[in-house]
Amino acid sequence: MDDVCYLLKLNQRRSRNLMSWLSGSRCMFSPITRSCFMHSRNPYRIPPDFKLLGPELQPYLVQTGGHVTLDYQNDEALRCLTKLLLRRDFSLDIELPSNRLCPPLPNRLNYILWLQDLLDSLPVAQNEILGGDIGTGASAIYPFLGCSLRPNWRFRATELDETSFSCAFQNVKTNSMDDRIHIIRVLEHDTILGPLFRNMDSNQALDFTMCNPPFYESVQEIQTSLQIKEFPPNAICTGGTTEMITEGGEVQFVGNMIRESLLFKDRCHWFSSMLGKATSLESLVLLLRSSQIHNYAVTELVQGQTKRWAIAWSFRDERLPDIVARSTSSSFVHPFLPPKNELRASHAIQYACNTTPANTAVTCGSY
């Protein structure tokens, strides 16, 4: 734990010397321009006015380049900002322990909003949505955001770390969400997906799962990642070992999730996970294809200088529109995208129009 925190703060001193440069478009909230790369419904496309967020944030504000911005290299500043935004924008009172990850809201919202798009694009609307969050963390941020944005969403959320489990459980209780968010303690020998379905009716299914997996396979990989970056991180990051490190890194973790999903194909409509590295996409898409899972989706999640990816897969017949399934502008990701569903659909519609008798009512339009 101490090694992880130390490495994540390794570049803090030289980062401060570049604060005036980092306070521009590379920061989580740019003081100058809105982000055109975030999800269109993300409220943080327009950065908040830090000066108006409350007196608690004032000690962490700095003047750079004629603009007032946040001291992103101060972990207490990030926790204060996140708590204030959760309180102001979502009416949530969330405890964020100093030795666990502080969730950046623009990033977390991008993932939730993409899942909303995915579910909304399916042909059958459901009155109630049940999601599963794997490794929910101390903040249980995804269940809280999902339930705050959609009153018909509920969550089953798992957590292995004892400190994070206790904090997440208390956060749910504090915000009176016990009837919508169920925190499940995971044991060392448990599988990844299994605990989500523990004590769940056998005829009940999850509508989706989501996960922000540990990205790294060792402390050494974190150190190497910091050393090869062209610029220092624009924000300090602290987290527990289980939140950041797992055997085999995110590729093995999500790969195991894909293999386990074969056993739960009838218990969940869409499985998904965020990815921290673009290089992980190739291995995981190849695994999906080799497992005969051809119904999948890939998206790019951009917030400030940080870029993440998400992948989702399903054993159902429903196909997603390309704007959801192939949502990325990065050319290097194109070989790993699923086939274009809309092109196939338009061909099918045209075929139906050409072969249907003239006296049969058929609407032939663009898909």
Side-chain angles (χ1 to χ4, degrees):
M1 171 64 189
D2 292 339
D3 289 340
V4 174
C5 292
Y6 168 74
L7 288 171
L8 289 170
K9 294 180 178 179
L10 196 61
N11 291 335
Q12 183 173 2
R13 182 178 302 172
R14 68 189 181 97
S15 294
R16 290 185 184 276
N17 296 330
L18 294 176
M19 277 300 295
S20 60
W21 180 77
L22 290 173
S23 65
S25 60
R26 291 175 59 88
C27 284
M28 179 172 67
F29 294 113
S30 166
I32 304 173
T33 60
R34 73 172 63 197
S35 171
C36 59
F37 299 106
M38 289 188 195
H39 191 284
S40 61
R41 295 197 307 280
N42 196 318
Y44 303 120
R45 284 166 61 92
I46 301 175
D49 187 335
F50 297 118
K51 300 189 298 296
L52 301 179
L53 282 177
E56 305 99 315
L57 199 62
Q58 299 308 307
Y60 307 115
L61 300 184
V62 292
Q63 188 85 19
T64 57
H67 298 277
V68 175
T69 188
L70 192 72
D71 181 2
Y72 286 95
Q73 298 304 315
N74 186 320
D75 58 333
E76 288 302 318
L78 295 179
R79 292 178 199 285
C80 182
L81 172 64
T82 301
K83 293 177 71 170
L84 287 173
L85 291 175
L86 285 170
R87 185 187 310 158
R88 185 195 71 172
D89 299 333
F90 301 96
S91 300
L92 294 170
D93 180 14
I94 304 297
E95 181 62 31
L96 301 172
S98 60
N99 58 350
R100 293 297 182 267
L101 286 175
C102 175
L105 291 188
N107 170 290
R108 301 306 192 250
L109 273 171
N110 276 344
Y111 188 5
I112 282 283
L113 293 170
W114 180 62
L115 288 175
Q116 284 184 356
D117 293 339
L118 186 154
L119 295 172
D120 290 346
S121 68
L122 298 178
V124 180
Q126 298 188 17
N127 293 328
E128 188 174 88
I129 298 296
L130 180 59
D133 182 23
I134 300 164
T136 196
S139 64
I141 190 63
Y142 287 128
F144 276 119
L145 291 178
C147 289
S148 297
L149 292 173
R150 292 284 175 92
N152 64 327
W153 279 30
R154 295 187 300 113
F155 272 87
R156 294 173 65 84
T158 64
E159 181 52 54
L160 172 65
D161 178 72
E162 183 177 356
T163 299
S164 295
F165 171 82
S166 298
C167 190
F169 187 88
Q170 186 58 48
N171 277 329
V172 170
K173 186 175 181 180
T174 299
N175 291 274
S176 302
M177 287 274 196
D178 313 62
D179 58 333
R180 299 181 61 193
I181 301 174
H182 178 43
I183 307 296
I184 303 166
R185 180 66 192 277
V186 176
L187 304 177
E188 288 287 348
H189 64 272
D190 281 331
T191 58
I192 298 173
L193 293 174
L196 283 175
F197 303 97
R198 186 183 298 154
N199 300 324
M200 186 173 162
D201 291 342
S202 58
N203 60 348
Q204 190 178 24
L206 295 173
D207 292 286
F208 68 91
T209 66
M210 63 189 309
C211 179
N212 184 21
F215 294 158
Y216 304 103
E217 58 181 317
S218 66
V219 173
Q220 290 71 29
E221 186 184 1
I222 297 178
Q223 186 175 22
T224 301
S225 176
L226 288 171
Q227 291 173 344
I228 65 176
K229 286 182 181 292
E230 181 181 1
F231 298 103
N234 66 317
I236 197 69
C237 177
T238 59
T241 302
T242 57
E243 295 176 296
M244 306 192 67
I245 297 175
T246 185
E247 183 179 354
E250 65 180 6
V251 169
Q252 183 169 321
F253 190 94
V254 181
N256 289 339
M257 196 189 308
I258 292 173
R259 297 181 188 93
E260 288 183 25
S261 71
L262 296 168
L263 304 175
F264 296 99
K265 59 175 66 176
D266 297 323
R267 303 295 306 277
C268 180
H269 296 176
W270 281 90
F271 301 88
S272 78
S273 181
M274 185 188 289
L275 299 173
K277 294 175 281 188
T279 53
S280 302
L281 270 177
E282 179 176 6
S283 300
L284 294 172
V285 167
L286 290 176
L287 176 59
L288 286 173
R289 292 171 178 173
S290 66
S291 303
Q292 301 303 306
I293 305 173
H294 301 293
N295 188 12
Y296 68 95
V298 173
T299 193
E300 192 174 68
L301 308 173
V302 181
Q303 44 283 319
Q305 76 173 47
T306 303
K307 185 177 292 187
R308 296 286 182 259
W309 292 262
I311 187 169
W313 64 99
S314 176
F315 299 93
R316 304 294 177 107
D317 293 331
E318 303 98 341
R319 291 299 196 266
L320 301 171
D322 290 344
I323 195 172
V324 176
R326 298 166 53 87
S327 178
T328 176
S329 59
S330 299
S331 58
F332 65 88
V333 176
H334 286 178
F336 316 122
L337 296 179
K340 290 186 176 181
N341 293 321
E342 293 184 5
L343 180 63
R344 293 203 303 269
S346 63
H347 285 171
I349 291 172
Q350 190 61 50
Y351 175 80
C353 293
N354 293 336
T355 57
T356 302
N359 62 347
T360 303
V362 174
T363 300
C364 299
S366 61
Y367 182 73

